[in-house]
Amino acid sequence: MDAGRAMTLDAHAYLAAKEPYGPRYATWFGAPEPQRGQKVGANFAAIKDAFETRPLAIDCGCNEPYFAYVYPVQPYKIYVCEAFWSAAITGTDSRGGTLVHEMSHFDAVAGTDDHVYGQAGAAELARTALRGRSTMLIHMSILGKTRRSRRRASIAGFEMQACSD
């Protein structure tokens, strides 16, 4: 949970800086354009707000081979699955990135949709056909497997079902 929040804070700070966007932005969101930049910034602000102020719940009961999923109309509950567990905590293809990515799908947050999966597909979409909300953090898909146990915990005001390897 903290990894997702930290990655969101980093992205929000990058987007809020008074400097022009650089290659990091262009890779994932296309050429800097004012309207697109405002939408991406607003999406990350909403994700940051959700991590900081909403009752986020992580459900570890999914045994499917994919990474995670949400129901966009049921905000703040993220279902993590088998592929989530072997990823690094932060960075590219990470657990933190997956939580940020899934948070972006909630209608009450940023309402994003997946149009492609994987880093290559997301970078190509950003280069050729970005529509503002369509590739929010798609590049944070991951590979993996897991074993896990469950325990209830409350961390930094979030009620969650904590999971460990």
Side-chain angles (χ1 to χ4, degrees):
M1 180 90 62
D2 290 337
R5 183 183 359 231
M7 292 176 79
T8 300
L9 291 173
D10 177 61
H12 185 263
Y14 175 85
L15 293 167
K18 300 294 183 200
E19 300 171 18
Y21 297 146
R24 180 178 171 189
Y25 176 93
T27 297
W28 304 118
F29 301 106
E33 297 172 359
Q35 185 176 8
R36 181 183 302 154
Q38 289 173 356
K39 181 62 177 172
V40 171
N43 283 350
F44 272 102
I47 294 166
K48 176 181 174 285
D49 178 70
F51 271 113
E52 292 179 341
T53 67
R54 302 298 180 206
L56 182 61
I58 307 296
D59 186 303
C60 306
C62 175
N63 294 315
E64 298 297 329
Y66 35 87
F67 311 109
Y69 66 94
V70 300
Y71 295 102
V73 297
Q74 297 174 4
Y76 317 121
K77 186 168 188 176
I78 300 173
Y79 299 85
V80 295
C81 303
E82 294 292 330
F84 180 83
W85 298 103
S86 67
I89 301 298
T90 62
T92 303
D93 296 337
S94 67
R95 294 179 194 183
T98 298
L99 296 176
V100 174
H101 171 93
E102 295 303 327
M103 182 71 81
S104 78
H105 290 317
F106 293 121
D107 291 344
V109 177
T112 64
D113 299 312
D114 292 339
H115 293 276
V116 297
Y117 291 95
Q119 293 182 41
E124 180 65 13
L125 187 60
R127 190 180 69 75
T128 61
L130 182 77
R131 290 182 217 136
R133 54 186 258 162
S134 61
T135 63
M136 179 67 68
L137 299 173
I138 290 171
H139 66 281
M140 293 186 176
S141 62
I142 56 178
L143 302 174
K145 60 181 176 22
T146 188
R147 294 171 313 143
R148 69 192 177 290
S149 63
R150 292 185 230 165
R151 61 183 166 79
R152 298 292 295 179
S154 178
I155 298 175
F158 294 107
E159 183 64 29
M160 63 180 286
Q161 184 158 340
C163 313
S164 60
D165 292 351

